[in-house]
Every structure is written in structure tokens, then in C-alpha cells.
Amino acid sequence: LIALFERAVGLYAHLVGINAYHQPGVEAGKKAAAAVLAIRKQIKDHLASHPNQPYTAHQLAQAIDHPEKTDWTYKILQSLQANHPEQYVRFPKEHPEQDTFQKTI
């Protein structure tokens, strides 16, 4: 059934003049994901080497030499804390930009 669907999509794409198997958007997505994962690794490594030290997203983005990626850093920190609350602590402040995060021992 899956193979039949794949053939139908390929045939329809051919009829309307689209190459269904050439997907530059998929490649761009892979490259973007690789960049996010690289920054996530840098964040985790930095926090692991500085346990129990709180950082704002901006401070941490500067510490890993990516000050232009403060928004990515904040989202990654939120994700780490939500998925690993026993390892990462969030201290919410009045404004999200002031929230601090730290890795526990």
C-alpha cells in the first residue's frame, strides 16, 4: 500500500512537471537541524563544565561565542529543562529574557 502511494505521488508529480524526488527543502532542513544540534551540544558541554552556575540565555550564548543565537539558546534551554528537569533547573523571572538556567550536579 505504501509503495502504491509512492508510485501515485511520483506519477502525479511527473504529470504536473515536478520532480518529486528532488527535495532541496529537505536538504536545507537537514543543514538547519545540524546547526541547531551543534549549538545544543555546545550549550550542554558548557553547562556540564560549569555546574550549579546560573546563566541567562544571552550570557550563555556569549559564553559559547554565539551571541547572535540568543533566541536559539533560550529555546534549547527551555527544551533541556522540560525534558530533563532532574538535570536542568530554570529560575523564572519577571521577563523571560531574565530567566536563568543551570545544570545540577
Side-chain angles (χ1 to χ4, degrees):
L1 187 59
I2 293 172
L4 178 62
F5 179 71
E6 181 182 352
R7 300 262 189 221
V9 169
L11 177 62
Y12 179 73
H14 177 71
L15 292 175
V16 295
I18 298 172
N19 182 351
Y21 303 103
H22 176 67
Q23 301 176 15
V26 172
E27 187 62 31
K30 288 179 183 178
K31 288 178 183 176
V36 172
L37 291 174
I39 290 178
R40 183 178 184 269
K41 182 177 181 344
Q42 289 178 328
I43 289 169
K44 287 180 69 175
D45 291 347
H46 187 82
L47 289 175
S49 65
H50 299 87
N52 293 326
Q53 182 174 345
Y55 289 94
T56 64
H58 182 69
Q59 291 169 335
L60 190 54
Q62 287 182 326
I64 63 168
D65 296 325
H66 288 288
E68 74 285 358
K69 301 294 186 193
T70 298
D71 53 341
W72 286 17
T73 303
Y74 183 77
K75 293 294 186 181
I76 291 168
L77 288 168
Q78 278 186 314
S79 173
L80 288 171
Q81 195 280 320
N83 291 306
H84 306 283
E86 68 284 351
Q87 294 179 23
Y88 299 94
V89 180
R90 177 182 183 182
F91 300 100
K93 306 291 187 213
E94 207 169 295
H95 193 275
E97 289 179 358
Q98 300 169 344
D99 288 0
T100 57
F101 298 84
Q102 74 182 39
K103 180 170 175 43
T104 59
I105 296 179

